[in-house]
Amino acid sequence: MSRGLLVAFDGVDGAGKTTQAERLAAALKRDGRRVRVLREPGGTALGEQLRAVLLAADGQADEPLVQACLFMASRRQLVVEAIRPALAQGDTVFLDRSFLSTWVYQGVVGGVELELLEALARAAHGDAWPDQVLLLDLSAEEADGRRAGRGAADDSFEARGFDYLEHIAQAYRDMAARLPELVTSIPAGGDPDDVAARCRAAFDEVAAR
Ligand code: TYD
């Protein structure tokens, strides 16, 4: 049986990753494809514990290298427990965030060396490297507006304010420009139905390779 596809959705908070991953998964399931959506950090018992530590506003895990190690630990656990077995069964796996988040938040913005983070991501994924990362590209202004509309309490990253968000949005764009083969940039503003159609088209291209 051929290995399933591994596609990650990434981007700033508020870009619509969770919505679009779930929508595309539902559409593909209607077509008869077996699809799983997994979130990072989290997705396993250990990962959810690490998520709670990482997103708490108590400052325990505030140092970028500490964070990078914990995010990568959660990722490795997810690969071992969930991603590898699903791909081996031929299932399609969608990731809600990925190593690209670590490269952007802890690397470009946090200052942790990118070569180190790339080596850690390669080790965490092993032979289960993503086939494609879909970057939902949204301006900091639009992301901020959506987040405010959502009304949920800010986690430790969301609490850092607008300048931080702008820095993150730009770092994602720079990363997409540096990695044109791995990262497909998808305009994520405007009507969610249009964004969904763009995600579908990007996925179909990956599936046709
Ligand atoms: P997320 O799961 O998107 O939160 P939400 O439940 O609000 O959608 O991610 C939580 C935060 O973790 C997010 O602000 C970005 C940050 N993060 C990193 O800094 N590095 C990483 O490697 C990952 C996966 C997330």
Side-chain angles (χ1 to χ4, degrees), residues 23 32 44-45 120 138 170:
R23 274 185 73 152
T44 64
L120 283 172
L138 193 69
Q170 189 54 48

Side-chain angles (χ1 to χ4, degrees), residues 10-14 17-18 39-42 51 54-55 67-68 70-72 74-75 96-107 147 150 152-160 164 168 172:
D10 221 312
V12 296
D13 281 304
K17 299 175 295 297
T18 309
R39 74 165 174 180
E40 292 196 13
R51 180 182 178 87
L54 280 158
L55 302 193
Q67 290 175 342
L70 296 177
F71 281 119
M72 286 293 180
S74 169
R75 185 163 297 130
D96 186 346
R97 287 199 184 273
S98 69
F99 61 83
L100 194 66
S101 293
T102 316
W103 293 4
V104 165
Y105 285 79
Q106 282 69 49
R147 248 173 23 179
R150 208 162 56 180
D154 284 350
D155 65 37
S156 61
F157 293 91
E158 291 165 341
R160 294 180 184 199
Y164 182 76
I168 295 288
Y172 268 116

Side-chain angles (χ1 to χ4, degrees), residues 31-206:
D31 293 349
R33 198 180 260 274
R34 286 160 50 114
V35 191
R36 293 195 58 187
V37 183
L38 301 168
R39 74 165 174 180
E40 292 196 13
T44 64
L46 175 63
E48 292 297 330
Q49 289 192 52
L50 293 173
R51 180 182 178 87
V53 172
L54 280 158
L55 302 193
D58 61 7
Q60 264 197 90
D62 252 3
E63 205 278 325
L65 181 55
V66 170
Q67 290 175 342
C69 292
L70 296 177
F71 281 119
M72 286 293 180
S74 169
R75 185 163 297 130
R76 175 64 182 166
Q77 192 67 30
L78 191 63
V79 168
V80 171
E81 267 188 45
I83 297 175
R84 232 166 31 189
L87 294 179
Q89 288 192 89
D91 292 0
T92 295
V93 177
F94 287 166
L95 295 177
D96 186 346
R97 287 199 184 273
S98 69
F99 61 83
L100 194 66
S101 293
T102 316
W103 293 4
V104 165
Y105 285 79
Q106 282 69 49
V108 180
V109 176
V112 179
E113 215 184 317
L114 281 170
E115 294 78 59
L116 171 64
L117 296 183
E118 178 170 359
L120 283 172
R122 296 262 171 211
H125 277 279
D127 59 4
W129 189 249
D131 296 287
Q132 202 69 27
V133 179
L134 306 187
L135 169 59
L136 297 181
D137 183 16
L138 193 69
S139 70
E141 287 79 8
E142 279 180 281
D144 201 39
R146 282 193 196 171
R147 248 173 23 179
R150 208 162 56 180
D154 284 350
D155 65 37
S156 61
F157 293 91
E158 291 165 341
R160 294 180 184 199
F162 185 76
D163 289 350
Y164 182 76
L165 182 61
E166 218 167 19
H167 200 164
I168 295 288
Q170 189 54 48
Y172 268 116
R173 288 196 192 113
D174 294 345
M175 210 40 106
R178 279 168 61 171
L179 304 166
E181 311 232 306
L182 177 67
V183 180
T184 304
S185 193
I186 295 180
D191 187 340
D193 289 348
D194 296 337
V195 182
R198 290 180 204 125
C199 290
R200 175 75 201 226
F203 176 83
D204 287 345
E205 255 184 52
V206 177

